[in-house]
Amino acid sequence: MQLQLPQSNALITDDAVFSGTVFDDDGVSRITYRLDQEEPVEIEGGSSFEIIIPFAELSDNEHLMEITAYDLRGVSSDPVILPFRVSRESPEAELISPVLGSTNRAEILLEGQASDENGISAVYVSLDNGLTYALTDLIEISDEQEDGTQSGEADSEDGLSLPSPQASRQWRYLLDSQVLVDGNYMVLIKAVDGYGVEAVNSSLISVDNTPPLMELSLPGDGQEYTDVLPIQLRLSDELAVRRVRYEITRISDTDEQASAVMADSLIPRRVLLEELDLSALVPGLYNLTIYSYDDADNESIASRDFFRRSSDERSVPKLLYPLSGSEVNGPFYLEGRVEGSLIPGTVTIFRNGAAFAVAETDEQGYFRHLVEADILSNGTQRFSANIEDEGGRISSRQIEIAYREIGPWLLIDSIRTGQFASQRPWISGRLGYALPATAEGEERTRGELREFEVELLEYSLDNGRTFTDFRANEEWKFRLETQDISDGQLSILVRASFANGESAQDLIHVFVDDTSPQVTVLTPEENLAMNGSLTVSGTAFDANGLSDISVMLRPRSKNSYEVPQFIQGLYVDAHVLGATTWELGIGLTFFDNNVKLQALYGQAPAGRFNGQVLGFKMLANVFALPYGFLFGPDWDFLSSSIAVGAAFEYFTMEESSVPDQPGLVLGAVVLQLELLKIELENAGMFNAYAAYVENQLWFISSDVEGGLAYRLAFGLRINVF
């Protein structure tokens, strides 16, 4: 007997068909077969046979088919024993940890379970949509089965040992998510059973290795606070910020390891505005640390040091200028500042122990008072500043100056110490020379007066190391080019040198700020549909602080309030002469105002081409000359340019001598010289005016007499916006 199908150890996934041939000289009477330990089944004999075992009657794992043939005399053949394997279902695999919906970071332990009646030989995972697979580690669930037999073997009744692999296995894989970009990933799990049958299942994991972004605007680092500590914090994360907490720690040189004196959680919001009560803390240096965590427990830390000042601490006035011990002539400014949490509205200035003047303070506590020359007399003058609070009078340290009625003097009037300088302000003031009185009826000669004239006027922005001279006048001014100066504190020293060798100077300290505040709107989001109330939140920041934030709500889409980006402006145009008597136009500018497209209407004079004129013109700048490049920023408002282009115009020919003369279209090449263009920077509309000369070269068709015609026009262009 020979068995052709199936092969030994074949994998059966459908009805099992066993076929073969039998050879015998007496003939074959019958054939019997037995599946595993079941009772033998007899079929009719013949030279060939086919045995079909329905798939529904087969169980998973390995089986043995035993077939025996008998001849007419009852002699049996040697039995044919064929092992084969059955897989009724594909293996199953699942991801148990991390659970669906969780967010993970760093090293992620993927754990799951795979099962198949034929056992699990391997489990693979893929995070690139099946392009590559990585082998996982398999873990035995138990070493002993519930029936007490060892995993992996079972005994048959006739003594055959059949393999019985473990049907369920746990698997795990340690994934370093640092190699992945934050986001959601599909995990493909490929399980392979004991017979090599594969099946792929899927799950999802979320990866987030980026900590939340924190922008802490307040408190400022190193600033002083009394009973309330403001917190202004902006939080953002690709997913969500789950938790925010803070700690306030006392900083002391004697503490080896400082412990938190205040700690609590804050409600996570995109814009977090809180005020912490510091009244229970003793005055001193503290550190505020804020921690934020997202769903994957990524941590961000922001920290600020601040001084806790007692609310009972009194404000103190200080005189800043002139310096104590200096010599002063003529009129001068007495400047100072009140430092503390409570800034009074006024400061009383004392001279030689008696009340002398009252000066007003600004929001930062700075004050200034002009001391006129005719009030003081020669000699030592002592000044102090005084304020009043609930505890009584507080006096500044007294300064002492040597005052002289006669001598040179200089004052900076336009700006004072403590103010902000921005947008190229004018720094202006006065100077002079206080002369001694002359005898009655006596006048000084021109030569004598020339000795007291100013010869050189200069300013310094680096505390006197270098000077820049400018035009000397009794009433002087110069531009402070803030665009060339870094934002921050700046000292401005102005010095005047006189013909007799004497000099006078004045000094102020200002804050340069040419950087606009940064504003970000966080809520509501773009195109969000809402009803009821509207909550607007966002962040605004400026290194020098903010004085006001306003919100404007306007109907309709924001596109209704803006011009498309490629359109820069709208203008009107008028010119005389050229091919027409007069012409009016309206146009748009594009690409940084370098391209102009306009529609035209005008009236042509009597002649060969006459009547009303309709057309359009296009111009493109080929050269521009900003006068600020030649003469400095003060001339930025003035420029000239050259443009080339083309014009196409339709002449109605209403005054033609030919009956029913049709209109004509003519074209021209245009060279336009913009002689002078004035731009008004602060004007919202009608912000530019330009006078130009236009050279026109017209192309005339050859219906009667063709050729070229040159015309010259003069015009004015006004920008509407």
Side-chain angles (χ1 to χ4, degrees):
M1 183 173 61
Q2 293 180 350
L3 188 64
Q4 275 82 36
L5 291 175
Q7 299 293 324
S8 179
N9 286 319
L11 178 63
I12 304 300
T13 58
D14 205 344
D15 292 348
V17 179
F18 301 86
S19 62
T21 58
V22 181
F23 304 96
D24 190 88
D25 54 355
D26 296 328
V28 180
S29 63
R30 60 190 177 91
I31 297 174
T32 63
Y33 68 88
R34 184 175 69 163
L35 182 63
D36 295 335
Q37 291 83 33
E38 297 178 359
E39 291 295 326
V41 178
E42 184 176 311
I43 62 175
E44 184 179 352
S47 60
S48 63
F49 64 89
E50 184 178 73
I51 302 169
I52 300 177
I53 307 297
F55 189 68
E57 298 178 5
L58 297 173
S59 61
D60 282 311
N61 294 318
E62 296 187 358
H63 298 270
L64 292 177
M65 172 63 79
E66 181 181 340
I67 305 174
T68 306
Y70 296 87
D71 63 10
L72 296 177
R73 299 180 183 278
V75 179
S76 66
S77 67
D78 293 331
V80 176
I81 300 176
L82 179 73
F84 66 94
R85 300 169 295 166
V86 175
S87 179
R88 295 181 58 84
E89 296 180 355
S90 299
E92 295 182 355
E94 63 176 337
L95 179 67
I96 298 176
S97 177
V99 297
L100 188 65
S102 63
T103 307
N104 310 273
R105 60 181 291 270
E107 290 187 341
I108 305 173
L109 182 60
L110 304 178
E111 293 182 299
Q113 185 169 318
S115 61
D116 191 89
E117 290 299 325
N118 295 315
I120 297 296
S121 63
V123 177
Y124 301 85
V125 294
S126 172
L127 285 99
D128 55 11
N129 296 300
L131 294 177
T132 60
Y133 281 91
L135 181 64
T136 66
D137 297 325
L138 294 180
I139 304 170
E140 300 288 344
I141 293 181
S142 63
D143 294 331
E144 186 173 310
Q145 298 177 345
E146 294 181 358
D147 58 4
T149 62
Q150 290 298 315
S151 171
E153 70 176 38
D155 294 332
S156 63
E157 294 179 358
D158 57 1
L160 295 175
S161 178
L162 301 177
S164 178
Q166 191 171 3
S168 183
R169 303 286 292 273
Q170 289 182 345
W171 60 270
R172 64 176 55 174
Y173 183 80
L174 187 61
L175 170 66
D176 187 355
S177 65
Q178 301 285 348
V179 300
L180 302 176
V181 179
D182 291 354
N184 297 320
Y185 288 86
M186 177 182 290
V187 182
L188 298 181
I189 309 163
K190 182 170 69 175
V192 183
D193 68 10
Y195 297 154
V197 178
E198 299 179 355
V200 178
N201 295 276
S202 64
S203 186
L204 288 174
I205 62 170
S206 296
V207 175
D208 182 8
N209 285 303
T210 304
L213 177 64
M214 292 200 300
E215 297 181 13
L216 184 59
S217 301
L218 288 179
D221 202 20
Q223 290 189 356
E224 296 183 354
Y225 299 93
T226 52
D227 292 336
V228 175
L229 180 68
I231 294 180
Q232 294 184 8
L233 178 67
R234 176 185 175 185
L235 295 169
S236 61
D237 191 79
E238 289 296 329
L239 297 176
V241 178
R242 177 174 54 86
R243 183 163 62 96
V244 181
R245 65 183 181 91
Y246 72 88
E247 290 182 358
I248 296 180
T249 306
R250 176 74 184 273
I251 299 176
S252 174
D253 295 336
T254 59
D255 296 339
E256 295 183 1
Q257 185 174 2
S259 57
V261 295
M262 284 180 61
D264 202 352
S265 296
L266 300 172
I267 299 175
R269 289 188 293 264
R270 296 187 67 178
V271 178
L272 197 150
L273 305 174
E274 297 285 344
E275 290 185 347
L276 304 182
D277 186 5
L278 303 179
S279 58
L281 303 182
V282 298
L285 180 62
Y286 291 84
N287 173 263
L288 168 70
T289 304
I290 300 179
Y291 306 86
S292 65
Y293 305 87
D294 60 16
D295 285 339
D297 274 341
N298 293 300
E299 181 185 62
S300 285
I301 301 175
S303 180
R304 296 287 189 272
D305 290 342
F306 68 92
F307 289 92
R308 158 75 165 103
R309 187 177 64 241
S310 174
S311 57
D312 297 333
E313 187 175 337
R314 304 172 72 185
S315 299
V316 177
K318 294 182 179 180
L319 288 177
L320 303 176
Y321 193 82
L323 299 178
S324 184
S326 59
E327 295 183 358
V328 180
N329 308 326
F332 64 93
Y333 281 112
L334 193 66
E335 294 186 320
R337 186 184 186 187
V338 178
E339 297 180 352
S341 58
L342 183 61
I343 305 298
T346 58
V347 173
T348 303
I349 299 173
F350 279 71
R351 180 176 71 92
N352 298 330
F356 173 68
V358 175
E360 295 183 354
T361 59
D362 61 16
E363 294 179 353
Q364 304 300 320
Y366 288 97
F367 60 89
R368 186 187 206 188
H369 179 70
L370 175 61
V371 180
E372 298 289 355
D374 55 358
I375 298 178
L376 304 181
S377 57
N378 289 330
T380 300
Q381 305 289 330
R382 298 176 180 85
F383 293 93
S384 64
N386 296 264
I387 60 174
E388 298 282 344
D389 62 11
E390 296 178 353
R393 177 185 296 178
I394 306 174
S395 298
S396 69
R397 181 177 63 88
Q398 184 173 259
I399 66 169
E400 186 176 285
I401 63 172
Y403 185 75
R404 189 175 56 153
E405 296 179 6
I406 300 172
W409 56 269
L410 183 145
L411 296 177
I412 301 175
D413 295 323
S414 61
I415 191 170
R416 67 183 184 182
T417 293
Q419 290 185 328
F420 287 95
S422 62
Q423 305 299 320
R424 305 178 60 242
W426 285 104
I427 307 299
S428 61
R430 299 167 286 157
L431 61 83
Y433 198 102
L435 298 173
T438 59
E440 185 176 352
E442 183 180 350
E443 293 185 0
R444 291 185 175 86
T445 64
R446 188 176 184 85
E448 292 175 336
L449 292 174
R450 190 175 293 114
E451 294 183 7
F452 307 109
E453 292 180 352
V454 60
E455 287 190 335
L456 178 64
L457 189 56
E458 52 192 350
Y459 67 89
S460 172
L461 304 180
D462 55 9
N463 202 30
R465 287 191 292 271
T466 60
F467 282 88
T468 301
D469 62 277
F470 59 100
R471 186 177 180 181
N473 281 316
E474 290 186 359
E475 293 187 357
W476 53 265
K477 67 178 181 178
F478 67 89
R479 279 279 196 183
L480 182 63
E481 302 295 349
T482 52
Q483 76 276 8
D484 300 327
I485 304 173
S486 300
D487 287 1
Q489 287 188 336
L490 177 70
S491 63
I492 302 175
L493 174 63
V494 182
R495 181 177 64 182
S497 299
F498 292 80
N500 62 1
E502 294 185 83
S503 64
Q505 59 275 330
D506 197 6
L507 174 69
I508 58 172
H509 297 277
V510 298
F511 298 91
V512 176
D513 183 9
D514 258 357
T515 303
S516 301
Q518 301 173 6
V519 180
T520 303
V521 178
L522 299 178
T523 59
E525 299 176 356
E526 187 86 8
N527 297 320
L528 187 66
M530 305 187 68
N531 58 15
S533 61
L534 174 68
T535 300
V536 181
S537 65
T539 61
F541 172 77
D542 190 88
N544 294 310
L546 300 167
S547 61
D548 179 68
I549 299 175
S550 58
V551 177
M552 179 181 294
L553 187 65
R554 298 189 289 185
R556 300 184 300 277
S557 169
K558 67 179 183 181
N559 296 327
S560 305
Y561 297 93
E562 60 183 17
V563 177
Q565 290 185 356
F566 69 94
I567 298 177
Q568 264 67 55
L570 171 72
Y571 67 90
V572 292
D573 181 288
H575 74 249
V576 295
L577 302 181
T580 60
T581 304
W582 57 267
E583 212 163 42
L584 298 176
I586 183 169
L588 297 173
T589 61
F590 307 87
F591 310 113
D592 293 332
N593 294 321
N594 286 315
V595 177
K596 302 178 182 71
L597 181 64
Q598 71 183 73
L600 301 169
Y601 172 77
Q603 185 71 43
R608 181 177 178 185
F609 305 106
N610 55 74
Q612 300 181 66
V613 178
L614 298 172
F616 69 90
K617 182 191 299 181
M618 184 171 66
L619 297 169
N621 283 356
V622 295
F623 175 77
L625 176 63
Y627 287 96
F629 177 77
L630 299 176
F631 307 116
D634 286 340
W635 294 84
D636 282 344
F637 70 97
L638 209 58
S639 64
S640 297
S641 65
I642 300 176
V644 296
F648 297 91
E649 300 189 3
Y650 172 74
F651 292 76
T652 60
M653 305 296 290
E654 296 172 351
E655 301 177 7
S656 175
S657 60
V658 180
D660 301 324
Q661 171 71 44
L664 295 176
V665 176
L666 299 181
V669 174
V670 177
L671 175 65
Q672 190 176 101
L673 306 178
E674 195 172 63
L675 301 176
L676 207 59
K677 181 179 180 180
I678 301 174
E679 296 181 77
L680 307 179
E681 183 179 356
N682 297 323
M685 298 183 65
F686 301 102
N687 52 16
Y689 302 83
Y692 64 85
V693 174
E694 186 171 275
N695 299 270
Q696 304 170 352
L697 186 63
W698 291 91
F699 295 86
I700 302 174
S701 60
S702 60
D703 55 343
V704 177
E705 181 182 353
L708 300 175
Y710 172 78
R711 295 291 186 269
L712 188 65
F714 301 90
L716 177 68
R717 183 166 42 246
I718 302 175
N719 278 29
V720 179
F721 62 84

